[in-house]
Amino acid sequence: MRAIVQRVSKASVSIGGKEKSAIAQGLLILLGIEDADGQEDIEWLSGKLTQLRIFNDEQGVMNLSVKDINAEILLVSQFTLHASTKKGNRPSYIKASKPDIAIPLYEKMIAQLERDLGKTIGTGEFGADMQVELVNDGPVTIFIDTKNRE
C-alpha cells in the first residue's frame, strides 16, 4: 500500500458536484492498493497513520498524532499512486489492483482506521470520479509505502 498523507485544516471529497465527506483538522490520506497488499499492510499502515506525530504541541513542535488531538481522517482511494513512469510519457498502472482485489482491501483499511482512531472516518467512493479539496496545513505532506518501511 502506498499513502500520501497530508495534514489539513480542512478537506472534502465530492462526487458529481455533491459532497460525500468532509473533515475539519486532521489527515487527508490518498491510498493506493496493489495485489501484494494484505492484512499485515493494513494493520501496519493504520497504526502508523493514527500514531504519526505531525501535529503541533503547545510549543509548536510536531509531537502529537491525529489520535492525540482527537482530529479526523478522510481516506480516498487513488490507484494512480502505483503509476510507473519508467517507460515513455504515459504512466502504466499495471501494479494497481483491480476492483475485485482493491475494494475489499480498501474496506478493511477503513474498518482498521476506525478501530485504531476510535471513531468513524470520512471516505471517498472507490472508482468514482472524485474532486478532492483541501487546505494543507504547514504544508505537511508525507509519502508512506508499506513495501518500503523506512
Short mmCIF file of all heavy atoms in Angstrom, two decimals, residues 57-96:
data_model
loop_
_atom_site.label_atom_id
_atom_site.label_comp_id
_atom_site.label_asym_id
_atom_site.label_seq_id
_atom_site.Cartn_x
_atom_site.Cartn_y
_atom_site.Cartn_z
N ASP A 57 2.41 20.58 19.21
CA ASP A 57 2.08 20.63 20.62
C ASP A 57 2.05 22.09 21.07
O ASP A 57 2.10 23.00 20.23
CB ASP A 57 3.04 19.78 21.46
CG ASP A 57 4.49 20.26 21.40
OD1 ASP A 57 4.75 21.41 20.97
OD2 ASP A 57 5.38 19.48 21.78
N GLU A 58 1.97 22.33 22.37
CA GLU A 58 1.88 23.71 22.90
C GLU A 58 3.11 24.54 22.55
O GLU A 58 3.04 25.77 22.48
CB GLU A 58 1.71 23.70 24.43
CG GLU A 58 0.57 22.85 24.95
CD GLU A 58 0.91 21.36 25.03
OE1 GLU A 58 2.05 20.99 25.41
OE2 GLU A 58 0.04 20.55 24.69
N GLN A 59 4.25 23.90 22.33
CA GLN A 59 5.47 24.62 21.99
C GLN A 59 5.67 24.77 20.47
O GLN A 59 6.70 25.26 20.03
CB GLN A 59 6.70 23.90 22.58
CG GLN A 59 6.84 24.03 24.09
CD GLN A 59 5.89 23.11 24.83
OE1 GLN A 59 5.68 21.97 24.45
NE2 GLN A 59 5.29 23.63 25.89
N GLY A 60 4.69 24.34 19.69
CA GLY A 60 4.80 24.44 18.24
C GLY A 60 5.66 23.37 17.60
O GLY A 60 6.07 23.50 16.45
N VAL A 61 5.92 22.31 18.33
CA VAL A 61 6.73 21.19 17.83
C VAL A 61 5.79 20.08 17.37
O VAL A 61 4.83 19.75 18.06
CB VAL A 61 7.67 20.66 18.95
CG1 VAL A 61 8.46 19.45 18.47
CG2 VAL A 61 8.61 21.76 19.42
N MET A 62 6.08 19.50 16.19
CA MET A 62 5.27 18.39 15.70
C MET A 62 5.51 17.18 16.60
O MET A 62 6.50 16.46 16.42
CB MET A 62 5.60 18.07 14.24
CG MET A 62 5.02 19.07 13.27
SD MET A 62 5.03 18.52 11.55
CE MET A 62 6.72 18.84 11.11
N ASN A 63 4.61 17.00 17.56
CA ASN A 63 4.81 15.98 18.58
C ASN A 63 3.52 15.23 18.91
O ASN A 63 3.51 14.38 19.78
CB ASN A 63 5.37 16.64 19.84
CG ASN A 63 6.08 15.67 20.74
OD1 ASN A 63 6.62 14.67 20.29
ND2 ASN A 63 6.06 15.95 22.03
N LEU A 64 2.42 15.56 18.22
CA LEU A 64 1.12 14.96 18.53
C LEU A 64 0.55 14.25 17.31
O LEU A 64 0.77 14.67 16.17
CB LEU A 64 0.14 16.03 19.01
CG LEU A 64 0.56 16.81 20.27
CD1 LEU A 64 -0.40 17.97 20.52
CD2 LEU A 64 0.65 15.89 21.46
N SER A 65 -0.22 13.21 17.56
CA SER A 65 -0.84 12.44 16.47
C SER A 65 -2.29 12.89 16.27
O SER A 65 -2.86 13.61 17.09
CB SER A 65 -0.83 10.95 16.82
OG SER A 65 -1.75 10.68 17.86
N VAL A 66 -2.88 12.41 15.19
CA VAL A 66 -4.29 12.69 14.91
C VAL A 66 -5.16 12.17 16.05
O VAL A 66 -6.16 12.78 16.43
CB VAL A 66 -4.70 12.09 13.53
CG1 VAL A 66 -4.65 10.57 13.54
CG2 VAL A 66 -6.06 12.57 13.09
N LYS A 67 -4.74 11.07 16.63
CA LYS A 67 -5.47 10.48 17.76
C LYS A 67 -5.32 11.34 19.02
O LYS A 67 -6.29 11.56 19.74
CB LYS A 67 -4.95 9.06 18.00
CG LYS A 67 -5.83 8.22 18.86
CD LYS A 67 -5.35 6.78 18.85
CE LYS A 67 -6.27 5.93 19.67
NZ LYS A 67 -5.91 4.53 19.64
N ASP A 68 -4.10 11.85 19.25
CA ASP A 68 -3.84 12.68 20.43
C ASP A 68 -4.72 13.93 20.47
O ASP A 68 -5.13 14.37 21.54
CB ASP A 68 -2.38 13.14 20.47
CG ASP A 68 -1.40 12.00 20.70
OD1 ASP A 68 -1.78 10.99 21.32
OD2 ASP A 68 -0.24 12.15 20.26
N ILE A 69 -4.97 14.52 19.29
CA ILE A 69 -5.71 15.78 19.26
C ILE A 69 -7.18 15.58 18.89
O ILE A 69 -7.90 16.55 18.67
CB ILE A 69 -5.05 16.81 18.32
CG1 ILE A 69 -5.09 16.33 16.86
CG2 ILE A 69 -3.62 17.12 18.76
CD1 ILE A 69 -4.72 17.39 15.85
N ASN A 70 -7.60 14.31 18.83
CA ASN A 70 -8.99 13.98 18.51
C ASN A 70 -9.43 14.59 17.18
O ASN A 70 -10.54 15.10 17.05
CB ASN A 70 -9.94 14.40 19.64
CG ASN A 70 -11.29 13.72 19.53
OD1 ASN A 70 -11.40 12.60 19.03
ND2 ASN A 70 -12.33 14.41 19.96
N ALA A 71 -8.54 14.54 16.19
CA ALA A 71 -8.83 15.08 14.86
C ALA A 71 -9.49 14.01 13.99
O ALA A 71 -9.81 12.92 14.47
CB ALA A 71 -7.56 15.62 14.23
N GLU A 72 -9.66 14.33 12.72
CA GLU A 72 -10.41 13.46 11.81
C GLU A 72 -9.51 12.92 10.69
O GLU A 72 -8.42 13.43 10.46
CB GLU A 72 -11.56 14.25 11.20
CG GLU A 72 -12.54 14.77 12.23
CD GLU A 72 -13.63 15.61 11.61
OE1 GLU A 72 -13.38 16.80 11.32
OE2 GLU A 72 -14.72 15.06 11.39
N ILE A 73 -10.02 11.90 10.01
CA ILE A 73 -9.34 11.32 8.85
C ILE A 73 -10.31 11.25 7.69
O ILE A 73 -11.47 10.86 7.85
CB ILE A 73 -8.79 9.91 9.17
CG1 ILE A 73 -7.63 9.99 10.16
CG2 ILE A 73 -8.35 9.19 7.88
CD1 ILE A 73 -7.06 8.64 10.57
N LEU A 74 -9.80 11.62 6.50
CA LEU A 74 -10.53 11.44 5.25
C LEU A 74 -9.66 10.54 4.38
O LEU A 74 -8.52 10.90 4.04
CB LEU A 74 -10.78 12.79 4.56
CG LEU A 74 -11.45 12.77 3.19
CD1 LEU A 74 -12.79 12.04 3.22
CD2 LEU A 74 -11.61 14.19 2.66
N LEU A 75 -10.16 9.36 4.05
CA LEU A 75 -9.44 8.36 3.26
C LEU A 75 -10.02 8.28 1.86
O LEU A 75 -11.23 8.05 1.70
CB LEU A 75 -9.53 6.98 3.93
CG LEU A 75 -8.78 5.84 3.25
CD1 LEU A 75 -7.27 6.04 3.38
CD2 LEU A 75 -9.20 4.50 3.83
N VAL A 76 -9.16 8.46 0.85
CA VAL A 76 -9.60 8.46 -0.55
C VAL A 76 -8.74 7.48 -1.33
O VAL A 76 -7.51 7.56 -1.31
CB VAL A 76 -9.47 9.88 -1.16
CG1 VAL A 76 -9.87 9.88 -2.63
CG2 VAL A 76 -10.30 10.89 -0.37
N SER A 77 -9.38 6.53 -2.03
CA SER A 77 -8.63 5.58 -2.85
C SER A 77 -8.07 6.30 -4.08
O SER A 77 -8.72 7.17 -4.65
CB SER A 77 -9.54 4.43 -3.29
OG SER A 77 -10.59 4.90 -4.09
N GLN A 78 -6.84 5.93 -4.45
CA GLN A 78 -6.20 6.58 -5.60
C GLN A 78 -5.23 5.60 -6.27
O GLN A 78 -4.07 5.49 -5.87
CB GLN A 78 -5.48 7.85 -5.17
CG GLN A 78 -4.97 8.62 -6.37
CD GLN A 78 -4.47 10.00 -6.01
OE1 GLN A 78 -4.64 10.50 -4.91
NE2 GLN A 78 -3.84 10.63 -6.97
N PHE A 79 -5.72 4.91 -7.29
CA PHE A 79 -4.91 3.90 -7.96
C PHE A 79 -3.68 4.50 -8.64
O PHE A 79 -2.67 3.81 -8.84
CB PHE A 79 -5.74 3.11 -8.98
CG PHE A 79 -6.06 3.85 -10.25
CD1 PHE A 79 -5.24 3.74 -11.36
CD2 PHE A 79 -7.18 4.66 -10.32
CE1 PHE A 79 -5.54 4.42 -12.53
CE2 PHE A 79 -7.49 5.35 -11.49
CZ PHE A 79 -6.66 5.23 -12.60
N THR A 80 -3.69 5.79 -8.95
CA THR A 80 -2.56 6.41 -9.65
C THR A 80 -1.30 6.48 -8.79
O THR A 80 -0.22 6.76 -9.31
CB THR A 80 -2.92 7.82 -10.17
OG1 THR A 80 -3.28 8.64 -9.06
CG2 THR A 80 -4.06 7.74 -11.18
N LEU A 81 -1.40 6.19 -7.50
CA LEU A 81 -0.20 6.16 -6.66
C LEU A 81 0.74 5.02 -7.05
O LEU A 81 1.90 5.02 -6.67
CB LEU A 81 -0.57 6.05 -5.18
CG LEU A 81 -1.20 7.28 -4.56
CD1 LEU A 81 -1.55 7.04 -3.10
CD2 LEU A 81 -0.30 8.48 -4.69
N HIS A 82 0.22 4.06 -7.81
CA HIS A 82 1.06 2.95 -8.28
C HIS A 82 1.46 3.13 -9.74
O HIS A 82 1.82 2.16 -10.41
CB HIS A 82 0.34 1.62 -8.06
CG HIS A 82 0.37 1.18 -6.64
ND1 HIS A 82 1.52 0.71 -6.04
CD2 HIS A 82 -0.57 1.19 -5.69
CE1 HIS A 82 1.26 0.43 -4.78
NE2 HIS A 82 0.00 0.71 -4.54
N ALA A 83 1.43 4.38 -10.21
CA ALA A 83 1.83 4.65 -11.59
C ALA A 83 3.32 4.37 -11.79
O ALA A 83 4.14 4.69 -10.94
CB ALA A 83 1.55 6.11 -11.93
N SER A 84 3.63 3.76 -12.91
CA SER A 84 5.02 3.56 -13.30
C SER A 84 5.29 4.50 -14.47
O SER A 84 4.57 4.50 -15.47
CB SER A 84 5.26 2.12 -13.73
OG SER A 84 6.56 2.00 -14.27
N THR A 85 6.33 5.31 -14.32
CA THR A 85 6.68 6.26 -15.38
C THR A 85 8.04 5.92 -16.00
O THR A 85 8.67 6.76 -16.61
CB THR A 85 6.71 7.70 -14.82
OG1 THR A 85 7.64 7.75 -13.73
CG2 THR A 85 5.34 8.13 -14.34
N LYS A 86 8.45 4.67 -15.83
CA LYS A 86 9.76 4.22 -16.28
C LYS A 86 9.92 4.35 -17.79
O LYS A 86 10.95 4.79 -18.28
CB LYS A 86 9.99 2.78 -15.84
CG LYS A 86 11.37 2.27 -16.11
CD LYS A 86 11.55 0.87 -15.53
CE LYS A 86 12.94 0.38 -15.77
NZ LYS A 86 13.17 -0.94 -15.18
N LYS A 87 8.89 3.95 -18.54
CA LYS A 87 8.98 3.96 -20.00
C LYS A 87 7.99 4.97 -20.57
O LYS A 87 6.83 5.00 -20.19
CB LYS A 87 8.64 2.59 -20.56
CG LYS A 87 9.65 1.51 -20.23
CD LYS A 87 9.04 0.18 -20.50
CE LYS A 87 9.69 -0.71 -21.44
NZ LYS A 87 9.05 -1.98 -21.64
N GLY A 88 8.46 5.79 -21.47
CA GLY A 88 7.59 6.72 -22.18
C GLY A 88 7.01 7.79 -21.29
O GLY A 88 7.46 8.02 -20.17
N ASN A 89 5.98 8.43 -21.80
CA ASN A 89 5.35 9.54 -21.08
C ASN A 89 3.94 9.24 -20.60
O ASN A 89 3.33 10.06 -19.93
CB ASN A 89 5.33 10.79 -21.97
CG ASN A 89 6.72 11.29 -22.25
OD1 ASN A 89 7.55 11.35 -21.36
ND2 ASN A 89 6.99 11.63 -23.50
N ARG A 90 3.44 8.07 -20.95
CA ARG A 90 2.11 7.67 -20.48
C ARG A 90 2.29 6.70 -19.33
O ARG A 90 2.81 5.59 -19.52
CB ARG A 90 1.32 7.02 -21.60
CG ARG A 90 -0.09 6.67 -21.16
CD ARG A 90 -0.92 6.21 -22.33
NE ARG A 90 -2.28 5.98 -21.88
CZ ARG A 90 -3.02 5.00 -22.32
NH1 ARG A 90 -2.58 4.17 -23.23
NH2 ARG A 90 -4.25 4.85 -21.85
N PRO A 91 1.87 7.07 -18.11
CA PRO A 91 2.05 6.18 -16.97
C PRO A 91 1.33 4.84 -17.16
O PRO A 91 0.26 4.77 -17.75
CB PRO A 91 1.43 6.95 -15.81
CG PRO A 91 1.41 8.37 -16.25
CD PRO A 91 1.23 8.32 -17.74
N SER A 92 1.95 3.80 -16.61
CA SER A 92 1.34 2.48 -16.59
C SER A 92 0.81 2.24 -15.18
O SER A 92 1.49 2.55 -14.19
CB SER A 92 2.37 1.41 -16.92
OG SER A 92 1.86 0.13 -16.63
N TYR A 93 -0.37 1.69 -15.07
CA TYR A 93 -0.99 1.42 -13.77
C TYR A 93 -1.12 -0.08 -13.53
O TYR A 93 -1.96 -0.52 -12.76
CB TYR A 93 -2.36 2.09 -13.70
CG TYR A 93 -2.27 3.57 -13.96
CD1 TYR A 93 -2.72 4.11 -15.16
CD2 TYR A 93 -1.71 4.43 -13.02
CE1 TYR A 93 -2.62 5.47 -15.41
CE2 TYR A 93 -1.61 5.79 -13.27
CZ TYR A 93 -2.06 6.30 -14.47
OH TYR A 93 -1.96 7.64 -14.71
N ILE A 94 -0.26 -0.86 -14.16
CA ILE A 94 -0.35 -2.31 -14.08
C ILE A 94 -0.20 -2.84 -12.65
O ILE A 94 -0.74 -3.87 -12.30
CB ILE A 94 0.66 -2.98 -15.04
CG1 ILE A 94 0.27 -4.43 -15.27
CG2 ILE A 94 2.08 -2.83 -14.54
CD1 ILE A 94 0.83 -5.02 -16.53
N LYS A 95 0.55 -2.12 -11.78
CA LYS A 95 0.73 -2.58 -10.39
C LYS A 95 -0.48 -2.30 -9.51
O LYS A 95 -0.63 -2.89 -8.45
CB LYS A 95 1.96 -1.91 -9.77
CG LYS A 95 3.27 -2.54 -10.23
CD LYS A 95 4.44 -2.04 -9.42
CE LYS A 95 4.37 -2.59 -8.03
NZ LYS A 95 5.45 -2.16 -7.15
N ALA A 96 -1.34 -1.39 -9.93
CA ALA A 96 -2.52 -1.06 -9.13
C ALA A 96 -3.52 -2.21 -9.21
O ALA A 96 -3.77 -2.77 -10.27
CB ALA A 96 -3.17 0.22 -9.64
#
